[in-house]
Amino acid sequence: MDSKPSDRAPDPATAPAGGVPLRRSVRDALKIVVVGGFGVGKTTMVGSISEIPPLSTEEVMTKAGVGIDDPSRVADKRTTTVAFDFGRISLDAHRVLYLFGAPGQQRFWFIWDQLFSGSLGAVVLVDTRRLEESFYPLDRLEHHKMPFVVAVNRFEGPEPRPPLDLVRDALSLPEDVPLVDCDARQRDSSKNVLITLVRHLTTLHDPAALQEAAQ
């Protein structure tokens, strides 16, 4: 039996309660930011896919936020992120991916520029019940010339779910920006969003991949 250490990334599903320890062989750290409006599921997405217990700066919402935060469309929400969420995924023996979830409320947007620093790209998480809250994240990413994908978090409820082509039109998204459905609560679904972003980044930086995608 081969005694060489495996280059495969550890499986978070079999990790101990404390999470997967960071390998000593890791040489490269990559960074991705998850942005979106208030209560769209950024904290949930980071927590669903992180191989370690995610660092969360969520605090209980109090009367101090009345008139500032608008929880009317997310009635069950009792906490809010006041700095950022943080998670980690091992890609292989030498590379890890760090996930940062940005706060959604306008009063914390000043943190975004710092989170964008050094990031490869971003995921814009969207709630179709509040599409107007997605315009600022899209504008900021375009301002920073940062590649991104858009993921529609499909919440449960009686409201109709508009198809992706209508969401694209409503957001005025160019055809070359990937747009996918997701359920931020499910690890496989969140994983698919990140894979979509990585493929998008590869296409942008690899002329051969870009030509193949156009065929």
Side-chain angles (χ1 to χ4, degrees), residues 191-202:
K191 179 180 177 181
N192 179 64
V193 173
L194 297 184
I195 291 174
T196 300
L197 175 58
V198 171
R199 287 175 176 168
H200 181 51
L201 294 172
T202 301

Side-chain angles (χ1 to χ4, degrees), residues 45-185:
M45 172 172 279
V46 172
S48 72
I49 197 169
S50 176
E51 67 188 16
I52 59 174
L55 169 65
S56 177
T57 57
E58 284 208 316
E59 296 292 342
V60 176
M61 297 174 64
T62 66
K63 292 181 179 180
V66 174
I68 301 176
D69 302 327
D70 180 13
S72 60
R73 304 296 290 274
V74 281
D76 295 334
K77 189 170 179 59
R78 297 291 179 268
T79 60
T80 184
T81 299
V82 297
F84 58 84
D85 303 304
F86 173 79
R88 190 191 77 207
I89 305 170
S90 293
L91 302 177
D92 54 36
H94 306 295
R95 295 177 299 174
V96 295
L97 177 66
Y98 291 132
L99 293 176
F100 289 82
Q105 307 96 305
Q106 183 174 353
R107 56 195 168 117
F108 297 126
W109 283 350
F110 69 91
I111 299 175
W112 285 27
D113 288 348
Q114 299 175 48
L115 293 179
F116 289 163
S117 178
S119 296
L120 292 177
V123 173
V124 181
L125 203 57
V126 168
D127 179 355
T128 55
R129 299 170 299 181
R130 297 174 289 130
L131 278 179
E132 69 280 359
E133 295 184 10
S134 304
F135 290 114
Y136 178 79
L138 294 173
D139 287 345
R140 292 308 300 163
L141 290 170
E142 290 174 355
H143 173 77
H144 283 269
K145 296 181 171 56
M146 183 177 297
F148 62 89
V149 300
V150 177
V152 179
N153 193 10
R154 297 298 190 178
F155 290 84
E156 295 178 348
E159 298 184 23
R161 300 181 177 186
L164 290 181
D165 57 342
L166 292 183
V167 175
R168 183 179 293 277
D169 288 344
L171 295 176
S172 299
L173 282 181
E175 288 297 327
D176 59 345
V177 175
L179 174 65
V180 296
D181 278 319
C182 79
D183 183 339
R185 301 166 299 180

